[in-house]
């Protein structure tokens, strides 16, 4: 069922899938409390997570963020906790959490100070790792503020050096920490508005072999404050991080997870539908589910959706696939992915302000449209039988999620969906008339000309013309209905994000005005990095 043809060696390089075989779940104080943290907060949080069934549902990491240490290291150079905030100390807190079944997570910074101006770990990596180990830490977030450039290294090189050094240091511990890396966020589009995405992509490539998760872009907007740098309000911030995540699916596999940041479930301006959208999208991505909220005050309604077992099962699915975009049609995004038991996921997001009914033809999910297939609505728990299409009713900013079980003998899946440039965000588009063979990049619009199927031999066809193929003609790229020399119609794709023609060895390239050509592959060039439908197994 999974294709192995568009192959690039990747999963073997993930550092050790055993450290976190599934995306981490749990709690972090930052988005809710920022620097207002203390022992009482973590004790209350642990007690409430136990009592409300969050631990039983899988939320088993309790993580401290910035601002826990004293300003001074000990004479031996060790970090020390602030005894006013943590009167019993970190080893005691670690024990408290372990005894109740939680992992203990802590925060430091790869630069010489934390983002909140506490001592950073730069040049203290080994000492700090040993200190954390002594305290019983299981999970470490390493942020990237205040990087001191040493030995003539560039900003990019200092990050790469420090994060790889952390990997080496942790690898020597008896039990490696779950390593949460913030490096990519410092090279992401909103940090470098005037620059290209090249260093962002290069950073994503090394962090996936270096640790278990990576904060790839902006912080999610923190509680109450509207003076920080995150884009827009809380809904806009969530949509912004969603929009970054969909560009990065190719990096994820079991053991390494793209991290779009915390679930902000108690921000009062978010409606229940918006909060459930947040949870549904993050789960569809198999993203880390880290709650940042005051857990003791969560309502029964909040707990009920956060412990939806069917949706958590999608997040924790054994394939660890990140759902990818099938289409973007005005306010509606459709996403899909494979699930380990052969089921197919369907997620439909209504970003708009109006209630809608939206029809998704089953061929868009890469499954046999004739069905009949069973589709379970993971919110209502109702199962229906579907043929040809499924109609989805959505309120403003609501997201539907279905688990589709193909009928017997109809379980084969063809990776299907958008092919888009992750810099320009334009979609590869087939000609809409038979008289033209010109393909181009234009804004995504949800038409069949923008929904591509990728065959097991690496052929690429639009749903609008399923027996026509993306074809290399010298340096030109066209859509041809006849079979040409096989390799001119076969393509390779991997973690680089390049779409390489097998015949010419050249990379698809989006030029100005959406023009397409084939060019020599460069290193992570904005014009050559694309997101493809998932389900193409990268090995
Ligand atoms: C601990 O932190 C919480 C959250 O910021 C705050 O409400 C509480 O007053 C603090 N408690 C103590 C003892 O400082
Ligand atoms: C951290 O690095 C910056 C930039 O090089 C430097 O200005 C600052 O003095 C350093 N601070 C500490 C505490 O080492
Ligand atoms: C925060 O600022 C954004 C952008 O200026 C605005 O859209 C949003 O409504 C503000 N939110 C609050 C709660 O003030």
């Amino acid at each position: 069922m999974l294709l192995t043809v568009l192959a690039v060696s990747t999963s073997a390089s993930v550092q050790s899938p055993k450290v976190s075989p599934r995306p981490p779940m749990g709690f972090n104080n930052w988005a809710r409390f920022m620097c207002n943290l203390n022992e009482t907060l973590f004790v209350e949080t642990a007690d409430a997570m136990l009592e409300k069934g969050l631990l039983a549902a899988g939320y088993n990491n309790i993580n401290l963020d910035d601002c826990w240490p004293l300003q001074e290291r000990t004479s031996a150079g060790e970090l020390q906790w602030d005894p006013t905030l943590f009167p019993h100390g970190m080893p005691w807190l670690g024990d408290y959490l372990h005894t109740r079944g939680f992992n203990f997570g802590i925060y430091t910074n790869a630069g010489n100070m934390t983002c909140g101006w506490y001592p950073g770990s730069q040049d203290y990596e080994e000492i700090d790792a040993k200190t954390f180990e002594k305290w019983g830490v299981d999970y470490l977030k390493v942020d990237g503020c205040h990087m001191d450039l040493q030995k003539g290294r560039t900003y990019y090189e200092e990050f790469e050096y420090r994060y790889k050094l952390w990997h080496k240091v942790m690898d020597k511990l008896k039990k490696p920490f779950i390593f949460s890396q913030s490096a990519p966020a410092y090279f992401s589009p909103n940090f470098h508005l005037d620059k290209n995405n090249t260093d962002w992509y290069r950073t994503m490539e090394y962090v996936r072999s270096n640790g278990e998760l990576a904060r790839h872009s902006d912080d999610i907007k923190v509680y109450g404050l509207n003076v920080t740098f995150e884009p827009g309000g809380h809904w806009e911030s969530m949509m912004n991080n969603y929009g970054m995540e969909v560009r990065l699916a190719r990096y994820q596999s079991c053991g390494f997870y793209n991290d779009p940041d915390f679930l902000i479930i108690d921000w009062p301006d978010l409606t229940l539908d918006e909060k459930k959208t947040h949870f549904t999208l993050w789960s569809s991505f198999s993203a880390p589910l880290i709650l940042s909220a005051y857990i003791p005050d969560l309502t029964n309604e909040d707990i009920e959706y956060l412990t939806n077992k069917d949706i958590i099962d999608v997040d924790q699915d054994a394939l660890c696939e990140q759902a990818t975009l099938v289409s973007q049609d005005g306010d509606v995004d459709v996403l899909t992915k494979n699930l380990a038991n052969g089921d197919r996921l369907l997620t439909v997001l209504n970003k708009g302000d109006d209630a809608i009914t939206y029809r998704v033809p089953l061929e868009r999910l890469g499954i046999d449209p004739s069905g009949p297939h069973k589709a379970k609505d993971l919110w209502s728990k109702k199962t229906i039988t579907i043929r040809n299409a499924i109609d989805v009713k959505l309120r403003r900013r609501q997201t539907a999620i279905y688990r589709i079980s193909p009928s017997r003998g109809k379980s084969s899946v063809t990776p299907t969906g958008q092919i888009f440039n992750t810099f320009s965000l334009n979609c590869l588009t087939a000609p809409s008339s038979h008289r033209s063979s010109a393909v181009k990049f234009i804004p995504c619009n949800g038409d069949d000309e923008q929904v591509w199927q990728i065959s097991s031999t690496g052929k690429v066809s639009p749903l609008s013309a399923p027996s026509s193929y993306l074809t290399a003609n010298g340096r030109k790229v066209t859509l041809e209905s006849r079979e040409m020399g096989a390799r001119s119609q076969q393509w390779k794709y991997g973690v680089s994000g390049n779409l390489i023609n097998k015949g010419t060895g050249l990379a698809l390239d989006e030029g100005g005005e959406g023009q397409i050509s084939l060019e020599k592959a460069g290193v992570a060039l904005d014009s050559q990095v694309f997101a493809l439908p998932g389900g193409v197994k990268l090995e």
Side-chain angles (χ1 to χ4, degrees):
M1 230 186 52
L2 290 170
L3 298 184
T4 53
V5 173
L6 306 184
V8 154
S9 171
T10 59
S11 46
S13 70
V14 169
Q15 67 116 341
S16 172
K18 276 185 291 209
V19 177
S20 187
R22 299 289 178 272
M25 298 170 66
F27 168 86
N28 177 299
N29 63 283
W30 183 259
R32 180 61 169 82
F33 296 101
M34 293 189 286
C35 284
N36 299 316
L37 79 179
N38 55 46
E39 183 180 288
T40 313
L41 175 64
F42 292 96
V43 166
E44 280 182 353
T45 296
D47 293 350
M49 286 177 74
L50 251 174
E51 187 232 301
K52 291 176 183 285
L54 289 168
L55 175 64
Y59 297 89
N60 68 343
N61 296 283
I62 294 194
N63 301 341
L64 280 60
D65 212 282
D66 202 350
C67 308
W68 59 264
L70 283 180
Q71 284 295 350
E72 301 298 322
R73 289 174 176 269
T74 64
S75 54
E78 294 178 326
L79 289 170
Q80 7 183 22
W81 62 83
D82 181 334
T84 317
L85 299 178
F86 296 92
H88 292 92
M90 290 304 174
W92 179 91
L93 183 58
D95 276 351
Y96 190 91
L97 299 176
H98 290 150
T99 310
R100 284 156 184 80
F102 294 99
N103 287 331
F104 174 31
I106 206 161
Y107 167 104
T108 190
N109 191 90
N112 67 13
M113 283 173 288
T114 71
C115 303
W117 303 86
Y118 289 84
S121 288
Q122 193 167 13
D123 290 333
Y124 290 90
E125 288 84 358
E126 206 153 337
I127 297 178
D128 290 351
K130 290 208 175 105
T131 304
F132 297 147
E133 185 176 50
K134 203 166 63 185
W135 294 351
V137 162
D138 309 286
Y139 183 124
L140 181 64
K141 173 175 170 182
V142 179
D143 211 339
C145 282
H146 303 291
M147 199 63 94
D148 183 24
L149 308 189
Q150 299 179 1
K151 303 199 170 150
R153 294 185 197 108
T154 63
Y155 189 67
Y156 175 86
E157 287 164 353
E158 192 69 36
F159 268 81
E160 184 178 25
Y161 175 79
R162 292 295 159 184
Y163 279 85
K164 288 185 172 173
L165 176 59
W166 268 111
H167 169 71
K168 268 190 236 153
V169 165
M170 284 190 221
D171 229 24
K172 286 193 220 128
L173 302 176
K174 275 178 234 91
K175 186 176 149 266
F177 306 142
I178 294 174
F179 181 17
S180 166
Q181 308 165 89
S182 297
Y186 291 83
F187 299 91
S188 64
N190 286 330
F191 263 70
H192 285 284
L193 288 173
D194 54 333
K195 284 180 58 178
N196 56 42
N197 282 354
T198 298
D199 288 346
W200 191 37
Y201 302 140
R202 290 170 70 208
T203 304
M204 286 302 301
E205 281 206 39
Y206 77 75
V207 291
R208 67 190 298 282
S209 340
N210 213 42
E212 283 58 53
L213 61 160
R215 280 289 324 290
H216 52 64
S217 56
D218 306 283
D219 285 6
I220 196 101
K221 199 164 196 78
V222 299
Y223 190 91
L225 261 193
N226 215 6
V227 294
T228 47
F229 58 83
E230 302 90 359
H234 290 78
W235 167 260
E236 289 76 16
S237 169
M238 186 198 305
M239 285 295 105
N240 171 75
N241 289 18
Y242 161 81
M244 295 293 171
E245 174 92 2
V246 294
R247 308 177 200 202
L248 304 173
R250 64 189 175 280
Y251 297 110
Q252 182 163 303
S253 57
C254 285
F256 173 77
Y257 313 95
N258 295 324
D259 182 5
D261 212 6
F262 311 124
L263 294 172
I264 43 170
I265 46 191
D266 62 356
W267 172 242
D269 285 358
L270 292 175
T271 65
L272 186 60
D273 279 339
E274 290 170 338
K275 293 190 282 186
K276 287 165 81 172
T277 282
H278 198 179
F279 175 70
T280 308
L281 293 173
W282 268 226
S283 296
S284 301
F285 291 141
S286 284
L289 298 178
I290 311 285
L291 315 174
S292 199
Y294 186 53
I295 305 289
D297 278 356
L298 291 185
T299 64
N300 291 340
E301 229 176 14
D302 291 326
I303 298 300
E304 195 186 331
Y305 85 79
L306 290 170
T307 56
N308 182 316
K309 184 172 183 321
D310 285 323
I311 299 181
I312 289 178
D313 284 351
V314 167
D315 183 75
Q316 300 285 306
D317 184 78
L319 294 181
C320 309
E321 267 190 28
Q322 179 178 320
T324 56
L325 282 166
V326 171
S327 61
Q328 290 175 294
D329 175 1
D331 287 332
V332 181
D333 284 9
V334 177
L335 302 106
T336 189
K337 71 171 179 177
N338 290 316
L339 295 160
N341 71 343
D343 288 351
R344 193 78 169 145
L345 185 77
L346 167 63
T347 302
V348 187
L349 159 68
N350 175 18
K351 292 179 277 192
D353 286 335
D354 299 316
I356 50 157
T357 299
Y358 191 83
R359 171 161 292 190
V360 183
L362 297 188
E363 60 185 351
R364 289 199 163 198
L365 302 182
I367 55 177
D368 184 336
S370 64
H373 308 301
K374 297 270 182 246
K376 181 174 183 187
D377 178 335
L378 303 186
W379 282 121
S380 75
K381 310 286 181 190
K382 285 200 191 100
T383 298
I384 55 172
T385 299
I386 53 171
R387 293 182 177 80
N388 303 316
I390 179 167
D391 289 321
V392 181
K393 270 200 163 103
L394 292 166
R395 293 185 294 269
R396 168 184 199 260
R397 296 182 176 179
Q398 194 186 15
T399 300
I401 180 169
Y402 291 86
R403 185 185 260 270
I404 298 177
S405 307
S407 62
R408 245 169 205 287
K410 296 194 172 173
S411 61
S412 89
V413 172
T414 309
T416 303
Q418 288 184 176
I419 295 178
F420 67 99
N421 181 316
T422 61
F423 179 77
S424 73
L425 304 180
N426 287 329
C427 268
L428 182 67
T429 308
S432 49
S433 137
H434 292 302
R435 285 189 294 279
S436 165
S437 64
V439 285
K440 56 185 187 289
F441 277 96
I442 61 170
C444 303
N445 59 26
D447 290 348
D448 274 354
E449 283 78 6
Q450 294 187 343
V451 182
W452 298 85
Q453 296 205 312
I454 297 163
S455 81
S456 57
T457 56
K459 292 187 168 190
V460 179
S461 310
L463 278 187
S464 57
S467 46
S468 292
Y469 306 102
L470 194 69
T471 305
N473 274 320
R475 293 209 168 229
K476 287 209 176 94
V477 183
T478 55
L479 192 74
E480 301 292 342
S481 56
R482 55 201 171 93
E483 306 255 346
M484 313 267 284
R487 291 169 69 81
S488 71
Q489 292 181 330
Q490 286 176 348
W491 301 81
K492 287 193 298 186
Y493 179 73
V495 165
S496 71
N498 294 151
L499 190 55
I500 306 275
N501 178 258
K502 282 198 188 169
T504 60
L506 297 173
L508 192 77
D509 191 291
E510 179 190 2
E513 315 273 299
Q515 299 303 313
I516 296 180
S517 61
L518 287 170
E519 305 292 341
K520 196 165 172 299
V523 177
L525 300 181
D526 286 341
S527 59
Q528 296 182 347
V529 175
F530 303 100
L532 257 65
V536 176
K537 199 174 181 190
L538 305 172
E539 14 178 69

